[in-house]
Amino acid sequence: MASIPEEIWLQIFELLQNALSRVTRGDASEQIDHDRARAASVRPLTETCQTFHRICQPLLFETIVIDGDSEASRQKASCLIDVLHRKPHLKTMVSRVHICWTTLMNKKLWDRMESVLVGLCSIRDMWIQRVYVSTRLLDRRPRLERLVLIQAIRSPTEEPTIHSFDSLKYLRCDPNGLPMAINYFTALVLPALESLRIDSVYLTGATDRCDHRVFQFNHVSLKELIITSFFVWTESKEEGLVELLKRASRIKSLKLPLEEFSHGFRLPDDLVPDLETLDGRADVASTFCKGRPVRDLRASFPPGFTWSTTDDVPNLIQPGSVPLEHLYLDWILWKDDTMEYIARHCPQLVSLKIRAERVDHMDGTLTTRYPMPKLRRATFLSIPEPEPPFLSTAEPGPWYEDDEDGCKAGKEAKLVQGSREFWPQLEYLRLDPEHFWTYQNLEVGWVQVKGVE
């Protein structure tokens, strides 16, 4: 062991942490579990010997969790704060902080924790949810690159103020229907911001602070805009979206909420001319892609939406000014001719992902006998018929269902073997949530896995 440099050991231990399943939904409970699992994966190594203890300490303390949701969680957080207070050198190792549900803590405990958190000067990533936040917790964060504010509540003793983050690249701000969280600040100065995720409440302009203009970003730097919607989508929000897009004129990626737009909605042709990626409802995709160089499209099909696959009308998969390279169709009602239509109109696709609604008469008809010379990744999964409200939260199932005759494996094997004839560059094929197929030269491999791609 002595002959192996500590830098190599550190890389090995980092690989151990990174092997954990990724966070998929992005909610607080899953994020906390993930952060704790990362620490738990290396904690036994710190107890092995002094060398491993020294090597693993930065991994053990790079992410800390302050969770007030239960008495046990509050006790763990209190012990962690005590350790950081007794050993100040550990503070420099902390780069990620996850704070949530401290509104359930008594004031004395939270004040003690906050005093230690304020002294963490190396933080690059901060997640704050359901927390009474004072100005000093966010002030003087010169290295902060990522900030998540979910139902972050201003401290009752303070007035809304201006915050400036010179290095921040990603901001997520979700009041989630909590009025106190909406009026948290008067302005956020974000000169280096690259990705902004906000709730549609900031499109209403209902008050000075419930307005997208509180986010003061540089339009040249901002490349991604994500809009979510906790409340009902309205025409006033559509107007606010257009105004926001005028400010965010150089974005390359746009994600829209799944709520229905008004029938008369129009997007000015000169807005977001550099758009390359769109994620939204299928019935507005053409509106946002028209005349723009969209190469990556994720379209979710709302209930009742009819996709015309005739060649004499503008169609969903030729929406912009350039051919699509990446296509993801969610909640699509799969028909016998759908694959032929996609292959004929999108021959330049590099990746294709389908989550198709399975109905009684659907037998999983899928053929790869249509040339797609550049396709490298393909996913075909089934989903149940959606129930209102329209949300893409259902767990996907296999493309071919199990039956009494045991034909599922045979159908899948036939498709896997025949796909390379017309998709010669294919490297990855997934027909089941629990496994996928890989292609390397003439070899075909099977990999079992749990979770999303």
Side-chain angles (χ1 to χ4, degrees):
M1 188 177 76
S3 61
I4 301 178
E6 292 189 5
E7 293 80 4
I8 301 300
W9 281 117
L10 181 59
Q11 292 179 17
I12 294 173
F13 299 151
E14 286 176 339
L15 288 173
L16 176 64
Q17 283 192 319
N18 294 334
L20 296 172
S21 299
R22 295 181 300 161
V23 174
T24 56
R25 298 189 305 272
D27 58 28
S29 60
E30 189 177 41
Q31 185 68 52
I32 288 175
D33 291 343
H34 179 75
D35 290 341
R36 286 176 171 162
R38 283 177 59 85
S41 66
V42 297
R43 185 173 291 111
L45 295 169
T46 65
E47 302 170 355
T48 303
C49 62
Q50 291 183 349
T51 301
F52 280 7
H53 180 83
R54 181 177 63 255
I55 295 172
C56 289
Q57 265 200 339
L59 301 180
L60 191 61
F61 286 93
E62 69 171 357
T63 301
I64 64 172
V65 176
I66 306 296
D67 180 13
D69 188 40
S70 66
E71 182 60 36
S73 296
R74 291 190 287 271
Q75 184 63 37
K76 289 179 181 178
S78 179
C79 293
L80 175 61
I81 292 299
D82 289 341
V83 171
L84 293 174
H85 183 72
R86 292 196 311 269
K87 301 178 179 180
H89 70 281
L90 297 177
K91 295 181 181 180
T92 61
M93 300 178 185
V94 180
S95 61
R96 298 180 67 244
V97 177
H98 192 134
I99 315 168
C100 63
W101 291 101
T102 60
T103 51
L104 301 179
M105 292 182 179
N106 65 65
K107 186 177 184 304
K108 183 177 180 181
L109 176 58
W110 170 238
D111 286 346
R112 183 165 63 88
M113 292 184 177
E114 189 180 48
S115 65
V116 173
L117 293 171
V118 168
L120 302 178
C121 300
S122 300
I123 297 178
R124 298 179 182 274
D125 187 335
M126 182 177 286
W127 176 302
I128 298 175
Q129 180 165 3
R130 200 75 183 201
V131 176
Y132 284 118
V133 185
S134 66
T135 300
R136 63 179 189 148
L137 184 62
L138 293 179
D139 280 349
R140 295 185 297 278
R141 298 293 179 192
R143 301 183 182 181
L144 191 64
E145 297 179 357
R146 183 180 175 89
L147 176 61
V148 174
L149 299 171
I150 302 176
Q151 294 187 323
I153 308 168
R154 185 180 70 254
S155 176
T157 60
E158 297 185 354
E159 291 297 320
T161 186
I162 297 175
H163 291 285
S164 181
F165 300 99
D166 293 339
S167 301
L168 198 69
K169 291 180 172 59
Y170 174 88
L171 172 65
R172 174 181 174 183
C173 192
D174 287 338
N176 283 0
L178 194 65
M180 292 181 293
I182 296 172
N183 297 322
Y184 175 67
F185 40 72
T186 56
L188 288 178
V189 182
L190 311 161
L193 194 68
E194 297 176 359
S195 179
L196 174 63
R197 172 175 171 168
I198 59 173
D199 188 271
S200 62
V201 68
Y202 290 104
L203 303 178
T204 63
T207 67
D208 291 341
R209 292 189 291 275
C210 188
D211 192 302
H212 61 82
R213 280 177 282 269
V214 300
F215 305 101
Q216 299 179 9
F217 51 81
N218 183 335
H219 76 283
V220 176
S221 301
L222 190 69
K223 300 303 179 186
E224 180 182 44
L225 179 61
I226 301 171
I227 306 295
T228 60
S229 190
F230 186 83
F231 291 113
V232 175
W233 186 256
T234 62
E235 289 192 31
S236 66
K237 292 182 179 180
E238 293 174 4
E239 295 171 0
L241 175 61
V242 171
E243 293 302 313
L244 175 56
L245 291 177
K246 291 179 180 178
R247 298 178 54 224
S249 59
R250 302 291 291 274
I251 61 169
K252 294 183 179 297
S253 177
L254 175 62
K255 183 174 182 178
L256 300 169
L258 294 178
E259 279 71 21
E260 184 175 4
F261 279 63
S262 64
H263 180 70
F265 176 78
R266 295 292 183 271
L267 186 71
D269 292 341
D270 58 345
L271 286 187
V272 291
D274 301 325
L275 191 66
E276 296 178 356
T277 300
L278 178 71
D279 186 338
R281 290 170 61 108
D283 51 0
V284 298
S286 296
T287 299
F288 282 87
C289 294
K290 180 182 178 182
R292 299 172 178 88
V294 174
R295 293 178 171 83
D296 187 343
L297 174 63
R298 172 172 177 166
S300 297
F301 286 69
F305 174 70
T306 301
W307 180 27
S308 176
T309 54
T310 58
D311 293 337
D312 57 350
V313 295
N315 62 80
L316 175 66
I317 56 178
Q318 288 181 315
S321 60
V322 299
L324 287 176
E325 296 178 2
H326 307 280
L327 179 62
Y328 179 3
L329 300 180
D330 199 12
W331 293 101
I332 182 176
L333 185 60
W334 193 258
K335 302 177 182 179
D336 289 344
D337 63 349
T338 303
M339 191 64 240
E340 176 189 3
Y341 188 76
I342 292 173
R344 183 152 41 88
H345 289 282
C346 297
Q348 305 299 313
L349 281 183
V350 176
S351 69
L352 173 64
K353 185 173 182 179
I354 302 293
R355 295 207 321 169
E357 179 186 339
R358 183 175 294 281
V359 293
D360 292 339
H361 65 272
M362 177 179 171
D363 64 357
T365 302
L366 174 63
T367 177
T368 62
R369 299 184 66 82
Y370 301 105
M372 300 184 76
K374 296 186 177 182
L375 191 67
R376 294 182 179 276
R377 295 177 64 88
T379 296
F380 299 91
L381 299 175
S382 67
I383 51 175
E385 185 176 354
E387 298 179 0
F390 171 54
L391 293 172
S392 296
T393 56
E395 292 295 327
W399 186 262
Y400 296 114
E401 290 186 319
D402 288 315
D403 52 36
E404 295 180 357
D405 298 331
C407 295
K408 174 180 181 292
K411 290 178 180 179
E412 185 170 322
K414 182 178 179 181
L415 186 70
V416 169
Q417 293 293 337
S419 60
R420 286 292 288 271
E421 181 178 353
F422 295 92
W423 300 349
Q425 301 298 318
L426 195 64
E427 300 172 352
Y428 172 103
L429 178 62
R430 191 165 194 174
L431 301 167
D432 193 293
E434 298 188 356
H435 63 262
F436 61 85
W437 299 87
T438 61
Y439 300 81
Q440 187 173 7
N441 298 323
L442 299 178
E443 298 295 326
V444 180
W446 182 87
V447 180
Q448 187 171 7
V449 66
K450 287 283 187 178
V452 299
E453 291 176 276

